[in-house]
Coordinates of all heavy atoms in Angstrom, one line a residue:
M263 N -51.0 31.7 -33.9 CA -50.9 33.1 -34.4 C -49.4 33.3 -34.7 O -48.5 33.0 -33.9 CB -51.4 34.1 -33.4 CG -51.0 35.4 -33.5 SD -51.6 36.6 -32.2 CE -52.1 35.7 -30.9
N264 N -49.1 33.8 -35.8 CA -47.7 34.2 -36.2 C -47.5 35.6 -36.0 O -48.3 36.5 -36.2 CB -47.5 33.9 -37.8 CG -47.6 32.4 -38.1 OD1 -47.2 31.6 -37.3 ND2 -48.1 32.2 -39.2
L265 N -46.2 35.9 -35.4 CA -45.9 37.3 -35.1 C -44.7 37.7 -36.0 O -43.8 36.9 -36.4 CB -45.5 37.3 -33.7 CG -46.4 36.9 -32.6 CD1 -45.8 36.9 -31.2 CD2 -47.7 37.7 -32.6
E266 N -44.7 39.0 -36.4 CA -43.6 39.6 -37.0 C -42.3 39.4 -36.2 O -42.3 39.6 -35.0 CB -43.8 41.0 -37.4 CG -44.9 41.3 -38.3 CD -44.7 41.0 -39.7 OE1 -43.4 40.9 -40.1 OE2 -45.6 40.7 -40.5
Q267 N -41.2 39.1 -36.8 CA -39.9 38.9 -36.1 C -39.3 40.3 -35.9 O -38.3 40.7 -36.7 CB -39.0 38.0 -36.8 CG -39.6 36.6 -37.0 CD -39.8 36.0 -35.6 OE1 -39.0 35.9 -34.7 NE2 -41.1 35.4 -35.4
I268 N -39.6 41.0 -34.9 CA -39.1 42.4 -34.6 C -38.4 42.3 -33.2 O -39.0 41.8 -32.2 CB -40.1 43.4 -34.6 CG1 -40.8 43.6 -36.0 CG2 -39.6 44.8 -34.3 CD1 -42.0 44.4 -36.0
D269 N -37.1 42.6 -33.1 CA -36.4 42.6 -31.8 C -36.8 43.8 -31.0 O -36.4 44.8 -31.2 CB -34.9 42.6 -32.1 CG -34.1 42.6 -30.9 OD1 -34.6 42.3 -29.8 OD2 -32.8 42.7 -31.0
T270 N -37.7 43.4 -30.0 CA -38.1 44.5 -29.2 C -37.3 44.7 -27.9 O -37.7 45.4 -26.9 CB -39.6 44.3 -28.7 OG1 -39.7 43.1 -28.1 CG2 -40.5 44.4 -29.9
S271 N -36.0 44.1 -27.9 CA -35.2 44.4 -26.8 C -34.4 45.7 -27.0 O -33.8 46.2 -26.1 CB -34.1 43.2 -26.7 OG -33.3 43.3 -27.8
T272 N -34.6 46.3 -28.2 CA -34.1 47.6 -28.5 C -35.1 48.7 -28.6 O -36.3 48.4 -28.9 CB -33.3 47.6 -29.8 OG1 -34.2 47.4 -30.9 CG2 -32.2 46.5 -29.8
T273 N -34.7 49.9 -28.3 CA -35.7 51.1 -28.5 C -36.1 51.2 -29.9 O -37.3 51.4 -30.2 CB -35.0 52.3 -28.1 OG1 -34.5 52.3 -26.8 CG2 -36.0 53.5 -28.2
A274 N -35.2 50.8 -30.9 CA -35.7 50.9 -32.3 C -36.7 49.8 -32.6 O -37.7 50.0 -33.4 CB -34.4 50.7 -33.2
G275 N -36.5 48.6 -32.0 CA -37.6 47.6 -32.3 C -38.9 48.0 -31.6 O -40.0 47.8 -32.3
K276 N -38.9 48.6 -30.4 CA -40.2 49.0 -29.9 C -40.8 50.0 -30.6 O -42.0 50.0 -30.9 CB -39.9 49.5 -28.4 CG -39.4 48.3 -27.5 CD -39.0 48.9 -26.1 CE -38.5 47.8 -25.3 NZ -37.8 48.2 -24.1
A277 N -40.0 51.0 -31.2 CA -40.6 52.1 -32.0 C -41.2 51.5 -33.3 O -42.2 52.0 -33.7 CB -39.4 53.1 -32.3
E278 N -40.5 50.4 -33.9 CA -41.1 49.8 -35.1 C -42.4 49.2 -34.8 O -43.3 49.3 -35.6 CB -40.1 48.8 -35.6 CG -40.5 48.1 -36.8 CD -40.6 49.0 -38.1 OE1 -40.3 50.2 -38.0 OE2 -41.1 48.5 -39.1
V279 N -42.6 48.6 -33.6 CA -43.8 47.9 -33.4 C -44.9 48.9 -33.2 O -46.0 48.8 -33.7 CB -43.7 47.1 -32.1 CG1 -45.1 46.6 -31.6 CG2 -42.9 45.8 -32.3
M280 N -44.6 50.0 -32.5 CA -45.6 51.1 -32.4 C -45.9 51.8 -33.7 O -47.1 52.2 -33.9 CB -45.1 52.2 -31.3 CG -45.1 51.5 -29.9 SD -44.7 52.6 -28.6 CE -42.9 52.8 -28.7
R281 N -44.9 51.9 -34.5 CA -45.1 52.6 -35.8 C -46.0 51.7 -36.6 O -46.9 52.3 -37.3 CB -43.8 52.8 -36.6 CG -43.9 53.5 -37.9 CD -42.6 53.5 -38.7 NE -42.3 52.2 -39.2 CZ -42.7 51.6 -40.3 NH1 -43.7 52.3 -40.9 NH2 -42.4 50.5 -40.6
L282 N -45.8 50.4 -36.7 CA -46.7 49.5 -37.5 C -48.1 49.5 -36.9 O -49.2 49.5 -37.6 CB -46.1 48.2 -37.5 CG -44.8 48.0 -38.4 CD1 -44.2 46.6 -38.1 CD2 -45.1 48.3 -39.8
A283 N -48.2 49.6 -35.5 CA -49.5 49.6 -35.0 C -50.3 50.9 -35.3 O -51.5 51.0 -35.6 CB -49.4 49.6 -33.4
A284 N -49.5 52.0 -35.3 CA -50.2 53.3 -35.8 C -50.6 53.3 -37.2 O -51.5 54.0 -37.6 CB -49.1 54.4 -35.5
K285 N -50.0 52.5 -38.1 CA -50.4 52.3 -39.4 C -51.6 51.4 -39.5 O -52.0 51.1 -40.7 CB -49.3 51.8 -40.3 CG -48.2 52.9 -40.6 CD -47.2 52.3 -41.5 CE -46.7 53.4 -42.4 NZ -46.1 53.1 -43.6
G286 N -52.1 50.8 -38.5 CA -53.3 49.9 -38.5 C -53.0 48.4 -38.4 O -53.9 47.6 -38.5
R287 N -51.7 48.1 -38.3 CA -51.4 46.6 -38.1 C -51.9 46.1 -36.7 O -52.0 46.9 -35.7 CB -49.9 46.4 -38.1 CG -49.3 46.8 -39.5 CD -49.6 45.8 -40.6 NE -49.2 44.4 -40.3 CZ -48.0 43.9 -40.5 NH1 -47.0 44.6 -41.1 NH2 -47.7 42.6 -40.2
R288 N -52.3 44.9 -36.6 CA -52.8 44.3 -35.4 C -51.6 44.0 -34.4 O -50.6 43.6 -34.8 CB -53.6 43.1 -35.7 CG -54.9 43.4 -36.5 CD -55.8 42.2 -36.6 NE -55.2 40.9 -36.3 CZ -55.9 39.9 -35.8 NH1 -57.1 40.0 -35.6 NH2 -55.2 38.8 -35.6
V289 N -51.9 44.2 -33.1 CA -50.9 44.1 -32.0 C -51.4 42.9 -31.1 O -52.5 42.7 -30.8 CB -50.9 45.4 -31.2 CG1 -49.9 45.2 -30.0 CG2 -50.4 46.5 -32.1
A290 N -50.4 42.2 -30.5 CA -50.6 41.2 -29.5 C -49.6 41.6 -28.3 O -48.6 42.2 -28.5 CB -50.2 39.8 -30.0
D291 N -50.2 41.2 -27.2 CA -49.2 41.3 -25.9 C -49.2 40.0 -25.2 O -49.9 39.0 -25.5 CB -49.7 42.5 -25.1 CG -50.9 42.2 -24.2 OD1 -51.4 41.0 -24.2 OD2 -51.4 43.0 -23.6
D292 N -48.3 39.9 -24.3 CA -48.0 38.5 -23.6 C -48.5 38.8 -22.1 O -47.8 38.2 -21.1 CB -46.7 38.0 -23.7 CG -45.6 38.9 -23.1 OD1 -45.9 40.0 -22.7 OD2 -44.5 38.4 -22.9
A293 N -49.5 39.5 -21.8 CA -49.9 40.0 -20.4 C -50.2 38.7 -19.5 O -50.0 38.7 -18.4 CB -51.1 40.9 -20.5
D294 N -50.8 37.7 -20.2 CA -51.1 36.5 -19.3 C -50.2 35.3 -19.6 O -50.6 34.2 -19.4 CB -52.6 36.1 -19.6 CG -52.9 35.9 -21.1 OD1 -51.9 35.9 -21.9 OD2 -54.1 35.6 -21.4
G295 N -49.0 35.5 -20.1 CA -48.1 34.5 -20.3 C -48.2 33.9 -21.7 O -47.4 33.0 -22.1
R296 N -49.1 34.3 -22.5 CA -49.2 33.8 -23.9 C -49.6 35.0 -24.8 O -50.2 36.0 -24.2 CB -50.2 32.7 -24.1 CG -51.7 33.0 -23.7 CD -52.6 31.8 -23.6 NE -53.9 32.1 -23.1 CZ -54.8 32.5 -23.9 NH1 -54.8 32.7 -25.1 NH2 -56.0 32.8 -23.2
W297 N -49.3 35.0 -26.0 CA -49.7 36.1 -27.0 C -51.1 36.1 -27.2 O -51.7 35.1 -27.6 CB -48.9 35.9 -28.2 CG -47.4 36.2 -28.1 CD1 -46.4 35.2 -28.0 CD2 -46.8 37.4 -27.8 NE1 -45.2 35.8 -27.8 CE2 -45.4 37.2 -27.7 CE3 -47.2 38.8 -27.8 CZ2 -44.4 38.2 -27.5 CZ3 -46.3 39.7 -27.6 CH2 -45.0 39.5 -27.4
T298 N -51.7 37.3 -27.0 CA -53.1 37.5 -27.2 C -53.3 38.8 -28.0 O -52.7 39.8 -27.7 CB -53.8 37.7 -25.9 OG1 -53.5 36.6 -25.0 CG2 -55.3 37.8 -25.9
P299 N -54.2 38.8 -29.0 CA -54.5 40.0 -29.8 C -55.1 41.0 -28.9 O -56.0 40.7 -28.0 CB -55.4 39.5 -30.9 CG -55.2 38.1 -30.9 CD -54.9 37.6 -29.7
I300 N -54.8 42.3 -29.0 CA -55.3 43.4 -28.2 C -55.6 44.5 -29.2 O -55.1 44.7 -30.2 CB -54.5 43.9 -27.0 CG1 -53.1 44.3 -27.7 CG2 -54.2 42.8 -26.1 CD1 -52.2 44.9 -26.7
K301 N -56.8 45.4 -28.8 CA -57.1 46.4 -29.7 C -56.5 47.8 -29.2 O -56.2 48.6 -30.1 CB -58.7 46.5 -29.6 CG -59.3 45.4 -30.2 CD -60.8 45.7 -30.4 CE -61.4 44.5 -31.2 NZ -62.7 44.8 -31.8
H302 N -56.3 48.0 -28.0 CA -55.8 49.2 -27.5 C -54.6 49.0 -26.5 O -54.7 49.0 -25.3 CB -56.9 50.1 -26.7 CG -58.1 50.3 -27.6 ND1 -58.1 51.1 -28.7 CD2 -59.3 49.6 -27.6 CE1 -59.3 51.0 -29.3 NE2 -60.0 50.2 -28.6
P303 N -53.4 48.8 -27.1 CA -52.2 48.7 -26.2 C -51.9 49.8 -25.4 O -52.1 51.1 -25.8 CB -51.0 48.4 -27.3 CG -51.5 49.0 -28.5 CD -53.0 48.9 -28.5
C304 N -51.5 49.6 -24.2 CA -51.2 50.8 -23.3 C -49.7 51.1 -23.4 O -49.2 52.1 -22.9 CB -51.5 50.3 -21.9 SG -50.6 48.9 -21.2
W305 N -48.9 50.3 -24.2 CA -47.4 50.5 -24.4 C -46.6 50.6 -23.1 O -45.8 51.5 -23.0 CB -47.2 51.7 -25.2 CG -47.9 51.6 -26.6 CD1 -48.8 52.5 -27.1 CD2 -47.7 50.6 -27.6 NE1 -49.2 52.1 -28.3 CE2 -48.6 50.9 -28.7 CE3 -47.0 49.4 -27.7 CZ2 -48.7 50.1 -29.8 CZ3 -47.1 48.7 -28.9 CH2 -47.9 49.0 -29.9
N306 N -47.0 49.7 -22.2 CA -46.3 49.6 -20.9 C -45.2 48.5 -21.1 O -45.3 47.4 -20.7 CB -47.2 49.3 -19.7 CG -46.5 49.2 -18.5 OD1 -45.3 49.3 -18.4 ND2 -47.3 48.9 -17.4
W307 N -44.1 48.9 -21.6 CA -43.0 48.1 -22.1 C -42.3 47.5 -20.8 O -41.6 46.4 -21.0 CB -41.9 48.7 -23.0 CG -42.5 49.0 -24.3 CD1 -43.1 50.2 -24.7 CD2 -42.6 48.1 -25.4 NE1 -43.5 50.0 -26.1 CE2 -43.1 48.8 -26.6 CE3 -42.2 46.7 -25.7 CZ2 -43.3 48.3 -27.8 CZ3 -42.4 46.2 -26.8 CH2 -43.0 46.9 -27.9
E308 N -42.4 48.1 -19.6 CA -41.8 47.5 -18.4 C -42.5 46.4 -17.9 O -41.8 45.4 -17.3 CB -41.7 48.6 -17.4 CG -40.8 49.7 -17.7 CD -40.7 50.8 -16.6 OE1 -41.3 50.6 -15.6 OE2 -40.1 51.9 -16.9
E309 N -43.7 46.2 -18.1 CA -44.6 45.0 -17.7 C -44.9 44.0 -18.7 O -45.2 42.9 -18.4 CB -45.7 45.5 -16.8 CG -45.3 46.3 -15.6 CD -46.6 46.5 -14.8 OE1 -47.5 45.8 -14.8 OE2 -46.6 47.6 -14.2
Y310 N -45.1 44.5 -20.0 CA -45.5 43.7 -21.1 C -44.6 43.7 -22.3 O -43.9 44.6 -22.5 CB -46.8 44.1 -21.5 CG -47.9 44.2 -20.5 CD1 -48.4 45.4 -20.0 CD2 -48.4 43.2 -19.8 CE1 -49.3 45.6 -19.0 CE2 -49.4 43.3 -18.7 CZ -49.8 44.5 -18.5 OH -50.8 44.7 -17.5
S311 N -44.7 42.7 -23.1 CA -44.0 42.6 -24.4 C -45.1 42.7 -25.4 O -46.3 42.3 -25.2 CB -43.3 41.3 -24.6 OG -42.2 41.3 -23.7
Y312 N -44.9 43.4 -26.5 CA -45.8 43.6 -27.5 C -45.2 43.1 -28.9 O -44.0 43.2 -29.1 CB -46.2 45.1 -27.7 CG -46.8 45.7 -26.4 CD1 -46.0 46.3 -25.5 CD2 -48.2 45.6 -26.3 CE1 -46.5 46.9 -24.5 CE2 -48.7 46.1 -25.1 CZ -47.9 46.8 -24.2 OH -48.5 47.3 -23.0
A313 N -46.1 42.7 -29.8 CA -45.7 42.3 -31.0 C -46.7 42.5 -32.1 O -47.9 42.7 -31.8 CB -45.3 40.8 -31.1
I314 N -46.3 42.6 -33.4 CA -47.3 42.8 -34.5 C -47.6 41.4 -35.0 O -46.7 40.5 -35.2 CB -46.5 43.6 -35.6 CG1 -46.2 45.0 -35.1 CG2 -47.4 43.7 -36.9 CD1 -47.4 45.9 -34.7
I315 N -48.9 41.2 -35.2 CA -49.4 40.0 -35.7 C -49.2 40.0 -37.2 O -49.5 40.8 -37.9 CB -50.9 39.8 -35.4 CG1 -51.1 39.8 -33.9 CG2 -51.5 38.5 -36.1 CD1 -52.5 39.9 -33.5
S316 N -48.5 38.9 -37.6 CA -48.1 38.6 -39.0 C -49.4 38.3 -39.7 O -50.0 37.3 -39.5 CB -47.1 37.6 -39.3 OG -46.7 37.4 -40.5
E317 N -49.7 39.0 -40.8 CA -51.0 38.8 -41.7 C -50.6 38.9 -43.1 O -49.7 39.6 -43.5 CB -52.0 39.8 -41.3 CG -52.5 39.8 -39.9 CD -53.5 40.9 -39.5 OE1 -53.1 42.1 -39.4 OE2 -54.6 40.5 -39.5
P318 N -51.2 38.1 -43.9 CA -50.9 38.2 -45.3 C -51.3 39.5 -45.9 O -52.4 40.0 -45.5 CB -51.8 37.0 -45.9 CG -52.7 36.6 -44.9 CD -52.2 37.0 -43.6
V319 N -50.5 40.0 -46.8 CA -50.7 41.4 -47.3 C -51.8 41.3 -48.4 O -52.6 42.2 -48.6 CB -49.5 41.9 -47.8 CG1 -49.6 43.3 -48.5 CG2 -48.4 42.1 -46.7
G320 N -51.8 40.3 -49.2 CA -52.7 40.2 -50.3 C -52.1 39.2 -51.3 O -51.0 38.6 -51.2
P321 N -52.8 39.1 -52.5 CA -52.3 38.1 -53.4 C -51.0 38.7 -54.1 O -50.7 39.9 -54.1 CB -53.5 38.1 -54.4 CG -54.1 39.4 -54.2 CD -54.0 39.7 -52.8
D322 N -50.1 37.7 -54.5 CA -48.9 38.1 -55.2 C -49.1 38.7 -56.5 O -48.3 39.4 -57.0 CB -48.0 36.9 -55.4 CG -47.5 36.4 -54.0 OD1 -47.3 37.2 -53.1 OD2 -47.2 35.2 -53.8
E323 N -50.3 38.4 -57.1 CA -50.6 38.9 -58.5 C -52.0 39.2 -58.6 O -52.9 38.4 -58.1 CB -50.2 37.8 -59.5 CG -50.7 38.0 -60.9 CD -50.3 36.7 -61.7 OE1 -49.1 36.6 -62.1 OE2 -51.2 35.9 -62.0
V324 N -52.4 40.3 -59.1 CA -53.8 40.7 -59.5 C -53.9 41.2 -60.9 O -52.9 41.6 -61.5 CB -54.3 41.8 -58.6 CG1 -54.5 41.1 -57.2 CG2 -53.6 43.0 -58.5
W325 N -55.0 41.3 -61.5 CA -55.2 41.8 -62.8 C -56.1 43.0 -62.7 O -57.2 43.0 -62.0 CB -55.9 40.7 -63.7 CG -54.9 39.5 -63.9 CD1 -54.9 38.5 -63.0 CD2 -54.1 39.3 -64.9 NE1 -53.9 37.7 -63.6 CE2 -53.4 38.2 -64.7 CE3 -53.7 40.2 -66.0 CZ2 -52.4 37.7 -65.5 CZ3 -52.7 39.7 -66.8 CH2 -52.1 38.5 -66.7
V326 N -55.7 44.1 -63.3 CA -56.3 45.3 -63.1 C -56.9 45.8 -64.5 O -56.2 45.6 -65.5 CB -55.3 46.5 -62.7 CG1 -55.9 47.8 -62.6 CG2 -54.7 46.1 -61.4
T327 N -58.2 46.2 -64.5 CA -58.8 46.7 -65.8 C -58.8 48.2 -65.8 O -59.2 48.8 -64.7 CB -60.2 46.0 -65.9 OG1 -61.0 46.4 -64.9 CG2 -60.0 44.5 -66.0
V328 N -58.6 48.7 -67.0 CA -58.7 50.1 -67.2 C -59.6 50.5 -68.3 O -59.5 49.9 -69.4 CB -57.3 50.7 -67.5 CG1 -57.4 52.2 -67.6 CG2 -56.3 50.3 -66.4
S329 N -60.6 51.3 -68.0 CA -61.5 51.7 -69.1 C -61.8 53.2 -69.0 O -61.8 53.7 -67.9 CB -62.9 51.0 -68.8 OG -63.3 50.2 -69.8
E330 N -61.9 53.8 -70.1 CA -62.1 55.3 -70.1 C -63.4 55.7 -69.4 O -64.5 55.2 -69.7 CB -62.2 55.7 -71.6 CG -62.1 57.2 -71.7 CD -62.0 57.6 -73.2 OE1 -61.3 57.0 -74.0 OE2 -62.7 58.6 -73.5
G331 N -63.2 56.5 -68.4 CA -64.4 57.0 -67.7 C -64.9 56.1 -66.6 O -65.7 56.5 -65.8
D332 N -64.4 54.9 -66.5 CA -64.8 54.0 -65.4 C -63.7 53.8 -64.4 O -62.6 54.0 -64.7 CB -65.0 52.6 -66.1 CG -66.3 52.5 -66.9 OD1 -67.2 53.4 -66.7 OD2 -66.4 51.7 -67.8
P333 N -64.0 53.5 -63.2 CA -63.0 53.3 -62.1 C -62.2 52.1 -62.5 O -62.6 51.1 -63.2 CB -63.8 53.1 -60.9 CG -65.2 52.6 -61.3 CD -65.4 53.3 -62.7
I334 N -61.0 52.0 -61.9 CA -60.1 50.8 -62.1 C -60.7 49.7 -61.2 O -61.1 49.9 -60.1 CB -58.7 51.1 -61.6 CG1 -58.1 52.3 -62.6 CG2 -57.9 49.9 -61.5 CD1 -56.7 52.7 -62.2
D335 N -60.8 48.5 -61.8 CA -61.2 47.3 -61.0 C -60.1 46.3 -60.9 O -59.2 46.2 -61.8 CB -62.4 46.7 -61.8 CG -63.6 47.5 -61.7 OD1 -64.0 48.1 -60.7 OD2 -64.4 47.6 -62.8
V336 N -60.1 45.6 -59.9 CA -59.1 44.6 -59.6 C -59.7 43.2 -59.5 O -60.7 43.0 -58.8 CB -58.4 44.9 -58.3 CG1 -57.3 43.9 -57.9 CG2 -57.8 46.3 -58.3
Y337 N -59.1 42.2 -60.2 CA -59.6 40.8 -60.3 C -58.5 39.9 -59.9 O -57.2 40.3 -60.1 CB -60.1 40.6 -61.6 CG -61.1 41.4 -62.1 CD1 -60.9 42.6 -62.9 CD2 -62.5 41.0 -61.9 CE1 -62.0 43.3 -63.2 CE2 -63.5 41.8 -62.3 CZ -63.3 43.0 -63.0 OH -64.4 43.8 -63.4
K338 N -58.8 38.7 -59.5 CA -57.8 37.8 -59.0 C -57.3 36.9 -60.2 O -56.4 36.2 -60.1 CB -58.3 36.8 -57.9 CG -58.5 37.5 -56.6 CD -59.0 36.6 -55.5 CE -59.2 37.3 -54.2 NZ -59.6 36.5 -53.2
S339 N -58.1 36.8 -61.2 CA -57.6 36.0 -62.4 C -57.8 36.9 -63.7 O -58.6 37.8 -63.8 CB -58.5 34.8 -62.5 OG -59.7 35.0 -63.1
E340 N -56.9 36.4 -64.7 CA -56.9 37.1 -66.0 C -58.2 36.8 -66.7 O -58.8 37.7 -67.3 CB -55.7 36.6 -66.8 CG -55.6 37.3 -68.1 CD -54.4 36.8 -69.0 OE1 -53.9 35.8 -68.6 OE2 -54.0 37.5 -69.9
T341 N -58.7 35.6 -66.5 CA -59.9 35.2 -67.2 C -61.1 36.2 -66.8 O -61.8 36.7 -67.7 CB -60.2 33.8 -67.0 OG1 -59.1 33.0 -67.3 CG2 -61.5 33.4 -67.7
T342 N -61.2 36.4 -65.5 CA -62.3 37.3 -65.0 C -62.1 38.6 -65.4 O -63.1 39.4 -65.8 CB -62.3 37.1 -63.4 OG1 -62.4 35.7 -63.1 CG2 -63.6 37.8 -62.9
A343 N -60.9 39.1 -65.5 CA -60.7 40.5 -65.8 C -61.0 40.7 -67.3 O -61.5 41.7 -67.7 CB -59.2 40.9 -65.5
A344 N -60.6 39.7 -68.1 CA -60.9 39.7 -69.6 C -62.4 39.8 -69.9 O -62.8 40.4 -70.9 CB -60.2 38.6 -70.2
C345 N -63.2 39.2 -69.0 CA -64.6 39.2 -69.3 C -65.3 40.6 -69.0 O -66.4 40.7 -69.2 CB -65.3 38.1 -68.5 SG -64.9 36.4 -69.0
S346 N -64.5 41.5 -68.4 CA -65.0 42.7 -68.0 C -65.3 43.7 -69.1 O -65.9 44.8 -69.0 CB -64.2 43.4 -66.9 OG -63.0 43.8 -67.5
H347 N -64.8 43.4 -70.3 CA -64.9 44.2 -71.5 C -64.3 45.6 -71.4 O -64.7 46.6 -71.9 CB -66.4 44.3 -72.0 CG -67.0 43.0 -72.2 ND1 -66.7 42.2 -73.2 CD2 -67.9 42.3 -71.5 CE1 -67.3 41.0 -73.1 NE2 -68.2 41.2 -72.1
S348 N -63.1 45.6 -70.6 CA -62.5 46.9 -70.4 C -61.5 47.1 -71.6 O -61.2 46.2 -72.3 CB -61.7 46.9 -69.1 OG -62.6 46.9 -68.0
L349 N -61.1 48.4 -71.7 CA -60.1 48.7 -72.8 C -58.8 48.0 -72.6 O -58.2 47.7 -73.5 CB -59.9 50.2 -72.8 CG -61.1 51.1 -73.2 CD1 -60.7 52.6 -73.1 CD2 -61.6 50.7 -74.6
K350 N -58.4 47.9 -71.4 CA -57.1 47.3 -71.2 C -57.0 46.5 -69.9 O -57.6 46.8 -68.9 CB -56.1 48.4 -71.0 CG -54.6 47.9 -71.1 CD -53.7 49.1 -71.3 CE -52.3 48.6 -71.5 NZ -51.4 49.6 -72.0
V351 N -56.4 45.3 -69.9 CA -56.2 44.4 -68.7 C -54.6 44.4 -68.5 O -54.0 44.0 -69.4 CB -56.7 43.0 -69.0 CG1 -56.5 42.2 -67.8 CG2 -58.3 43.0 -69.3
V352 N -54.3 44.7 -67.3 CA -52.9 44.8 -66.9 C -52.6 43.8 -65.8 O -53.4 43.8 -64.7 CB -52.5 46.2 -66.5 CG1 -51.0 46.4 -66.1 CG2 -52.8 47.3 -67.6
R353 N -51.5 43.1 -65.8 CA -51.1 42.2 -64.7 C -50.3 43.1 -63.8 O -49.4 43.7 -64.2 CB -50.2 41.1 -65.3 CG -49.8 40.2 -64.3 CD -48.9 39.0 -64.9 NE -48.4 38.2 -64.0 CZ -47.1 37.8 -64.0 NH1 -46.3 38.2 -65.1 NH2 -46.6 37.0 -63.1
Y354 N -50.6 43.0 -62.5 CA -49.9 43.7 -61.4 C -49.3 42.7 -60.4 O -50.0 41.7 -60.0 CB -50.8 44.6 -60.6 CG -50.2 45.2 -59.4 CD1 -49.3 46.4 -59.6 CD2 -50.4 44.7 -58.1 CE1 -48.7 46.9 -58.5 CE2 -49.8 45.3 -57.2 CZ -48.9 46.4 -57.2 OH -48.3 47.0 -56.2
V355 N -47.9 42.7 -60.3 CA -47.2 41.7 -59.3 C -46.7 42.5 -58.2 O -46.0 43.6 -58.4 CB -46.1 41.1 -60.1 CG1 -45.4 40.0 -59.1 CG2 -46.7 40.3 -61.4
R356 N -47.0 42.1 -57.0 CA -46.5 42.7 -55.8 C -45.0 42.7 -55.8 O -44.4 41.7 -56.0 CB -47.2 42.0 -54.5 CG -47.6 43.0 -53.5 CD -48.3 42.4 -52.4 NE -47.4 41.5 -51.7 CZ -47.6 40.3 -51.1 NH1 -48.9 39.8 -51.3 NH2 -46.7 39.6 -50.5
A357 N -44.3 43.8 -55.4 CA -42.8 43.7 -55.4 C -42.2 43.4 -54.1 O -41.0 43.2 -54.0 CB -42.4 45.1 -55.9
D358 N -43.0 43.3 -53.0 CA -42.4 43.0 -51.8 C -42.2 41.5 -51.6 O -41.7 41.1 -50.6 CB -43.1 43.7 -50.6 CG -44.6 43.1 -50.5 OD1 -45.1 42.6 -51.5 OD2 -45.2 43.4 -49.4

């Protein structure tokens, strides 16, 4: 399991871990001497260490189709998007 590199020796680092957890990111603790995913952290920083589990955000590139009156659809390849017969196919690249 890969963990985000957040320095939790500082109050700011601990706050960042809790902020990311509040946004829905998965949390791990080292309660038993190894990092284990947990669902409901108690945030007892005196006895445990907590970390955010590093997870892929999504593809670096997707293709978005736009059609009048239809919802926007997202595809992983330009070919698949082009087959949707939408008015416009747009390439979207993640900026992070």
Side-chain angles (χ1 to χ4, degrees):
M263 164 180 18
N264 294 326
L265 303 175
E266 295 285 338
Q267 298 300 310
I268 300 171
D269 180 7
T270 56
S271 67
T272 66
T273 302
K276 292 173 184 170
E278 179 65 5
V279 168
M280 291 188 285
R281 183 187 73 78
L282 291 171
K285 285 186 148 201
R287 297 286 302 275
R288 292 184 347 146
V289 177
D291 73 8
D292 67 346
D294 58 0
R296 62 185 173 90
W297 290 104
T298 307
I300 57 173
K301 291 190 180 205
H302 305 289
C304 62
W305 302 121
N306 182 353
W307 290 97
E308 291 179 9
E309 294 190 31
Y310 307 109
S311 293
Y312 300 93
I314 297 297
I315 299 171
S316 181
E317 299 176 285
V319 176
D322 290 331
E323 169 184 282
V324 294
W325 296 87
V326 179
T327 60
V328 181
S329 243
E330 191 174 320
D332 289 334
I334 294 174
D335 290 316
V336 178
Y337 299 91
K338 291 183 180 179
S339 77
E340 181 180 16
T341 306
T342 307
C345 291
S346 70
H347 304 292
S348 294
L349 293 176
K350 190 167 192 171
V351 176
V352 180
R353 179 176 174 228
Y354 173 80
V355 179
R356 226 178 60 221
D358 60 344

